[in-house]
Amino acid sequence: MVTETLPEQRDTRELPPSWNPAEVEGELYARWVAAGYFTADSSSDKPPFSIVIPPPNVTGSLHIGHAFEHSLMDALVRRKRMQGFETCWLPGMDHASIPVHALVERQLAAEGTSRRELGREKFLERVWEWKNNYGGKILNQMRRLGDSVDWSRERFTMDDGLSRAVQTIFKRLYDDGLIYRAERLINWSPVLRSALSDAEVDHKEVEGELVSMRYGDGDASIVVATTRVETMLGDTAVAVHPDDERYAHLVGTAIELPLTGRRIPIIADTHVDPEFGTGAVKVTPAHDPNDFAIGQRHNLPMPTIMDEEGRIANTGTEFDGMDRFEARVAIREALRAQGRIVAEKRPYLHAVGHSERSKEPIEPRLSLQWFVQVEPLARSAGDLVRSGTVTISPKEADKRYFDWVDNLHDWCISRQLWWGHRIPVWYGPDGEQVCVGPDEQPPAGWTQDEDVLDTWFSSGLWPFSTFGWPEQTQDLAKFYPTSVLVTGYDILFFWVIRMMMFGGYAMDGQPPFRQIALHGMVRDKFGKKMSKSNNNGVDPIEWLDRYGADALRFTMVRGANPGVDVPIGEENVENARRFTTKLWNATRFALSNGATVRTTVPPRSELTDVDRWILDRTDALVSKVDGYFEEYEFAKVAEELFHFTWDEFCDWYLELAKVQIAESDERAAATRAVLGHVLDVLFRLLHPVMPFVTETLWTTLTGGESLVVAAWPTVSGATQDADATQRVESVQKLITEIRRFRSDQGLAPKKRVPTELSGAYEAGLLPHEQAVRSLVWLDAPGADFNATATLEVALPTGTVTVRLDTSSAIDVAAERNRLTKDLAVAQKELADCDKKLGNPNFVAKAPAEVVDKIKARKDTALADIERITAQLAALPTA
RNA sequence: GGGCGCAUAGCUCAGCGGGAGAGCGCCUGCCUUACAAGCAGGAUGUCGCUGGUUCGAUCCCAGCUGUGCCCACCA
């Protein structure tokens, strides 16, 4: 009845012999965009699902880390969209201030010019030029991944929306007294000539030197140790512990600071550890954080002895003008010449802060900077997680989050760069200052602060500034707080925490997102960090060209275990590509055999065991995939889909379906409907991770408009048929055992072997006899049937005896080998079971079902041993 | 120095109180009319070490060793 429509369908739904992503992806993507699928509509009444896009660290091309992150985010978004949510991404391309700044500086250096020569205006023009050029390139590369982002929302640039948000929040914090300007010891980069936040400093172990030197002479002398000899020019005291009797007589006196002629006091401070070194410390308040604290406590002078580029300056000594590292040696040698060096330890391993971007050791520097008083902000950011308003996945990351928010120092937000949001504070002729809000004008003739804001200041506003805040937009009302933030654990402390602080502060305690899903870093296939120096970086664009977006995305998703790094090698992408090909071929085959969704799947009572089994497996797949998605277990989502498709659908159902289609018209029709249904569900489930190939296959199968807006599948609700499943699994085992026998015997795979199957009744396998014969190339026994080998296959429901006429003597040695091995396995199993059951404590204390299970295993082992022993005995002796 | 994590097949990783798993790699046989980017079969592990808890430990606990990451103002 349904068969007559099939030829017509076949004509219109033929797939090309192979899948060529390069030819199809761009066209499909353009179609989706044109259809408006990606445009979020905040006026719709669908529930919102919004997602924050981590800052694109623009370096000129798509980074493997972006490809990874976007693959995960897009999978989430696509699934939610199919579930009927109004989905919204928060894109914005204006974030990459610092990298662009540095890149343009590099360009200028190559051109033989510099930022300073060019001037601020021209420099900023160059940055814009670069951004327009490469920012657009990156957008295109993101599109190639198939990101379902509405990139047309890229309207928040440095000039308008984001600037308003930055100014608004700055002024609010300023007025609340949470932003202040102070002279503090900050991390200074002599190369960048800018302040850095604590987060931008990397502490690295270096081999330095620990030099002990004598200040003063005779009785009034004291030995101090330092790793930074050059800072002695800025010493304004020597400190000892107040309880240290060795130096008690010196406290309150002064000694001469060598090389300078200055006299400095000896003071007592509890910071000093009497056990370390000589128990005396030189104090350089302007160049060391500890010393700065001591200096504040004791009202010491704080002379700065270096200029912005790290050269000794204003000391009135011969060392002025020397680079700090040069000076370290020169001063040490000058002291040595005076006989003041009493000990040297070299190499001396210690941690030194380095600038994250420019890599040189940072120089603590006393300077006037802007700070955010983070304590109240950080406390509420912590409370958002403590109260469960925001959850972090994996939950082990909670502790690290708390450690961080509970110990945050005030945040230095001013940067002496040219690119970025200027600090909205203006100074009057007499040093007055005023903070100017977004709709206010500074008094005429006043000048704006030259510094710009830390890049994390503006990106901390991302979750609401991209919705047009401070305007109360419809988008903001609908999509804030966002549903989830997907990002790497490396950025938790930089970015996530700023968003948490600003979100709670600006949005009346509303968090920026409900869920933080942390993933790991992409590593090379040996788990090593990808880097230029390791020469193991990969270009995702190359992989997109060679394998297609689906393969790349599936690779990424398959590797993404929560919070754990992802080793990726080309092998992984090849494997994913093989998967797309497999899916393609399976579908092509199913379609050519009339798979259809035009007819409904008959009720289960009219279906075979095999049909019922695959439908049950499909239901199980839906619920597993759903569960894993909800837990951000991306790798498991991919794994389930991969194994269902390959191991269950392709390896078994398709093979068995061939038999059913050949059986009768009625059987064929039912099978075609099941095939169509299973594929339909499978494509929907796969769509979030492999959007392009599934779109092509699904529209061909169903004639539907697009998977992007198709419904996400739900479980059918049908009762699982455990008996059918057991029988199918028995058939699988039987087939595998016969194949193994054939392989052991070296029988050509397609050689048809007359075979008699018996015992199938007890096992309930009679209806499947044709399937077994077909899949293992067995003929029915003819008149001249003469069994040369007997195989007994133990199944849960009974033993099937397989008698084969191999038309020649069997390889007795091979068979004996096999049986001996099986026997050994069974005997070990028996021994294990006996050991447990022989333990009275086990029988008494273990749960009954465990004991029963072991008993059942023992029975099976005994039966196996008996059967195999008999078979061995029946073998002709060689 | 403090904190967190990891140690399972040759490689990269799942699993996690009662029968050791996946992908890749490896061995054998097959171009069987969806697929050689494939099919079928096969081999491979004192589950880091040492103790403890338990009837039972790859799984829980402690210590050790190795390893990775984050944080950190010890001269």
Side-chain angles (χ1 to χ4, degrees):
Chain A
M1 43 180 176
V2 277
T3 43
E4 48 265 36
T5 64
L6 288 177
E8 176 190 314
Q9 287 187 5
R10 200 175 301 161
D11 288 343
T12 57
R13 302 180 311 157
E14 205 159 278
L15 285 170
S18 65
W19 163 242
N20 293 310
E23 290 172 16
V24 184
E25 287 171 356
E27 191 194 315
L28 279 181
Y29 191 82
R31 194 187 303 163
W32 292 334
V33 171
Y37 297 151
F38 300 161
T39 309
D41 176 7
S42 53
S43 66
S44 90
D45 53 7
K46 291 194 277 185
F49 180 82
S50 49
I51 196 160
V52 184
I53 304 189
N57 193 1
V58 178
T59 52
S61 66
L62 186 62
H63 185 268
I64 188 82
H66 298 150
F68 174 59
E69 203 155 63
H70 281 244
S71 300
L72 305 187
M73 291 193 293
D74 198 45
L76 291 179
V77 169
R78 283 179 185 266
R79 170 168 171 269
K80 284 292 177 181
R81 189 183 288 120
M82 292 171 80
Q83 287 182 323
F85 285 76
E86 186 66 46
T87 60
C88 175
W89 296 71
L90 278 71
M93 291 303 291
D94 201 51
H95 181 71
S97 46
I98 304 305
V100 174
H101 192 279
L103 278 162
V104 171
E105 286 201 332
R106 215 177 299 155
Q107 281 182 349
L108 294 177
E111 293 164 20
T113 177
S114 76
R115 191 180 63 157
R116 279 169 202 273
E117 265 178 57
L118 210 60
R120 187 168 199 150
E121 291 310 310
K122 283 229 162 63
F123 176 75
L124 293 185
E125 268 172 38
R126 287 288 295 262
V127 174
W128 274 113
E129 185 189 323
W130 197 97
K131 277 173 55 69
N132 291 337
N133 210 349
Y134 290 90
K137 186 174 155 195
I138 299 224
L139 283 189
N140 282 327
Q141 291 171 351
M142 294 293 192
R143 289 184 182 112
R144 285 192 57 190
L145 269 177
D147 263 3
S148 56
V149 187
D150 177 11
W151 290 110
S152 66
R153 296 171 69 91
E154 48 184 289
R155 58 177 189 255
F156 302 100
T157 68
M158 196 73 77
D159 285 340
D160 46 45
L162 192 52
S163 286
R164 284 183 64 77
V166 167
Q167 265 187 296
T168 305
I169 194 120
F170 190 100
K171 180 151 176 66
R172 195 179 288 184
L173 287 164
Y174 183 93
D175 293 344
D176 282 352
L178 292 176
I179 281 185
Y180 62 94
R181 196 182 193 209
E183 184 151 72
R184 286 285 183 80
L185 205 62
I186 46 84
N187 304 304
W188 182 264
S189 161
V191 169
L192 300 173
R193 282 182 296 198
S194 176
L196 303 176
S197 71
D198 288 348
E200 291 167 294
V201 176
D202 281 339
H203 290 266
K204 282 187 239 172
E205 289 263 295
V206 297
E207 291 185 356
E209 55 181 21
L210 183 67
V211 178
S212 300
M213 52 202 184
R214 183 168 45 82
Y215 284 5
D217 291 293
D219 286 345
S221 76
I222 199 160
V223 173
V224 295
T226 182
T227 53
R228 302 197 56 204
V229 178
E230 72 280 12
T231 61
M232 62 84 59
L233 296 175
D235 286 359
T236 53
V238 171
V240 298
H241 194 274
D243 301 335
D244 195 333
E245 291 171 8
R246 289 171 297 175
Y247 301 112
H249 66 289
L250 290 173
V251 174
T253 67
I255 53 170
E256 185 176 320
L257 182 65
L259 305 178
T260 65
R262 291 197 341 254
R263 289 188 73 78
I264 57 173
I266 294 173
I267 59 174
D269 192 287
T270 49
H271 163 76
V272 180
D273 175 7
E275 304 296 318
F276 187 93
T278 59
V281 186
K282 62 190 273 301
V283 180
T284 323
H287 291 275
D288 181 279
N290 291 316
D291 296 2
F292 179 72
I294 296 176
Q296 282 190 314
R297 283 197 287 275
H298 297 269
N299 279 321
L300 298 173
M302 303 187 178
T304 292
I305 57 147
M306 283 179 217
D307 65 14
E308 292 185 349
E309 294 177 33
R311 286 183 300 251
I312 305 295
N314 304 321
T315 64
T317 65
E318 63 194 278
F319 306 106
D320 278 5
M322 267 188 204
D323 177 78
R324 52 189 168 144
F325 301 110
E326 214 182 314
R328 181 174 302 172
V329 178
I331 293 172
R332 189 216 309 141
E333 294 314 311
L335 289 169
R336 192 192 309 283
Q338 293 186 6
R340 293 183 176 279
I341 302 295
V342 298
E344 289 169 276
K345 198 170 170 188
R346 195 177 293 114
Y348 180 72
L349 215 59
H350 64 135
V352 175
H354 286 70
S355 160
E356 191 181 54
R357 289 201 299 280
S358 47
K359 309 297 177 199
E360 88 282 11
I362 60 119
E363 182 62 45
R365 184 179 176 84
L366 200 57
S367 69
L368 202 54
Q369 303 286 348
W370 287 96
F371 293 86
V372 172
Q373 189 199 326
V374 296
E375 200 273 329
L377 300 174
R379 195 177 45 231
S380 61
D383 288 345
L384 285 174
V385 175
R386 267 184 271 268
S387 67
T389 309
V390 177
T391 49
I392 302 180
S393 141
K395 61 181 184 311
E396 298 83 57
D398 278 10
K399 193 174 286 183
R400 280 194 294 160
Y401 177 83
F402 292 135
D403 283 351
W404 181 267
V405 288
D406 294 342
N407 296 302
L408 210 53
H409 298 300
D410 278 4
W411 172 21
C412 174
I413 50 170
S414 44
R415 294 289 178 280
Q416 290 67 47
L417 301 169
W418 284 2
W419 172 264
H421 298 93
R422 293 274 289 274
I423 290 183
V425 171
W426 298 66
Y427 303 102
D430 301 318
E432 317 96 307
Q433 66 182 50
V434 61
C435 181
V436 176
D439 298 311
E440 300 165 1
Q441 289 298 320
W446 289 34
T447 54
Q448 187 173 7
D449 196 301
E450 284 286 306
D451 289 356
V452 301
L453 286 162
D454 181 11
T455 184
W456 300 109
F457 189 93
S458 51
S459 44
L461 314 177
W462 215 245
F464 46 91
S465 67
T466 45
F467 285 132
W469 185 90
E471 263 49 75
Q472 293 302 312
T473 63
Q474 217 177 356
D475 282 356
L476 187 67
K478 172 146 189 172
F479 294 115
Y480 190 93
T482 65
S483 315
V484 62
L485 172 77
V486 179
T487 194
Y489 59 73
D490 61 326
I491 214 167
L492 182 65
F493 309 125
F494 291 93
W495 187 46
V496 178
I497 199 157
R498 319 271 174 211
M499 290 193 284
M500 292 288 279
M501 292 197 301
F502 283 153
Y505 179 74
M507 303 297 294
D508 300 323
Q510 290 261 67
F513 18 74
R514 305 241 179 253
Q515 170 85 38
I516 300 168
L518 294 174
H519 60 245
M521 307 292 106
V522 180
R523 303 302 185 97
D524 76 1
K525 63 177 170 178
F526 302 113
K528 276 205 180 126
K529 207 172 192 165
M530 285 190 184
S531 72
K532 275 180 210 141
S533 52
N534 283 342
N535 198 27
N536 60 354
V538 294
D539 181 0
I541 297 293
E542 263 180 47
W543 284 354
L544 280 173
D545 287 340
R546 233 175 301 159
Y547 304 104
D550 291 324
L552 180 61
R553 289 176 55 138
F554 190 79
T555 304
M556 299 300 188
V557 171
R558 193 177 191 182
N561 289 301
V564 181
D565 287 343
V566 192
I568 298 281
E570 191 148 3
E571 297 91 328
N572 302 90
V573 192
E574 276 169 12
N575 188 238
R577 194 253 314 254
R578 282 201 283 273
F579 181 51
T580 60
T581 307
K582 185 74 177 177
L583 193 65
W584 182 270
N585 284 320
T587 308
R588 199 160 56 96
F589 172 74
L591 287 175
S592 72
N593 277 280
T596 181
V597 294
R598 305 268 159 88
T599 54
T600 49
V601 176
R604 296 216 169 183
S605 58
E606 292 171 28
L607 293 174
T608 64
D609 281 346
V610 172
D611 293 329
R612 281 182 258 177
W613 164 77
I614 197 68
L615 291 172
D616 282 352
R617 298 300 304 151
T618 306
D619 267 351
L621 179 71
V622 171
S623 72
K624 275 188 190 168
V625 167
D626 266 334
Y628 289 143
F629 261 122
E630 291 299 326
E631 290 160 20
Y632 305 96
E633 291 275 9
F634 296 100
K636 286 177 182 139
V637 167
E639 206 60 25
E640 284 298 327
L641 290 166
F642 182 88
H643 280 119
F644 175 86
T645 304
W646 208 303
D647 299 343
E648 303 196 278
F649 184 72
C650 290
D651 284 354
W652 290 107
Y653 188 72
L654 276 185
E655 294 303 324
L656 293 165
K658 289 177 186 173
V659 180
Q660 295 191 161
I661 286 171
E663 196 180 315
S664 70
D665 284 354
E666 198 186 346
R667 193 79 284 140
T671 303
R672 285 166 181 148
V674 173
L675 272 173
H677 171 75
V678 173
L679 280 175
D680 183 17
V681 171
L682 183 59
F683 294 150
R684 291 170 198 256
L685 292 174
L686 275 167
H687 181 252
V689 292
M690 298 183 18
F692 294 111
V693 69
T694 51
E695 175 82 337
T696 307
L697 296 175
W698 185 81
T699 49
T700 308
L701 171 70
T702 65
E705 182 192 331
S706 171
L707 256 188
V708 178
V709 287
W712 184 253
T714 52
V715 291
S716 68
T719 312
Q720 301 270 303
D721 188 338
D723 292 340
T725 294
Q726 187 176 60
R727 284 191 292 271
V728 170
E729 283 170 1
S730 290
V731 169
Q732 291 174 336
K733 186 175 179 202
L734 179 58
I735 287 173
T736 303
E737 288 297 321
I738 298 172
R739 280 174 177 162
R740 188 159 78 165
F741 173 82
R742 293 186 59 131
S743 179
D744 282 351
Q745 289 297 320
L747 292 170
K750 57 181 172 178
K751 179 188 161 79
R752 300 206 146 271
V753 180
T755 302
E756 184 187 270
L757 294 164
S758 58
Y761 273 118
E762 306 91 276
L765 301 184
L766 189 66
H768 301 289
E769 182 173 336
Q770 189 48 44
V772 174
R773 288 190 182 280
S774 173
L775 264 59
V776 213
W777 301 80
L778 304 178
D779 278 346
D784 56 348
F785 180 72
N786 180 27
T788 52
T790 302
L791 203 58
E792 294 200 343
V793 183
L795 301 171
T797 41
T799 298
V800 175
T801 303
V802 185
R803 301 177 66 232
L804 306 99
D805 179 357
T806 59
S807 71
S808 64
I810 65 157
D811 184 341
V812 177
E815 194 54 12
R816 186 183 304 281
N817 214 347
R818 159 70 53 200
L819 289 169
T820 307
K821 224 170 118 186
D822 287 351
L823 184 61
V825 169
Q827 279 166 338
K828 182 176 183 304
E829 174 77 355
L830 178 64
D832 288 350
C833 293
D834 275 342
K835 193 176 157 199
K836 288 193 177 190
L837 293 170
N839 180 347
N841 280 328
F842 171 74
V843 181
K845 295 190 179 178
E849 70 258 28
V850 173
V851 177
D852 287 347
K853 205 171 152 189
I854 300 290
K855 282 181 181 160
R857 275 169 56 190
K858 180 181 175 178
D859 290 345
T860 307
L862 280 171
D864 284 349
I865 290 170
E866 190 183 345
R867 178 174 48 80
I868 297 166
T869 308
Q871 279 187 275
L872 271 172
L875 281 180
T877 43

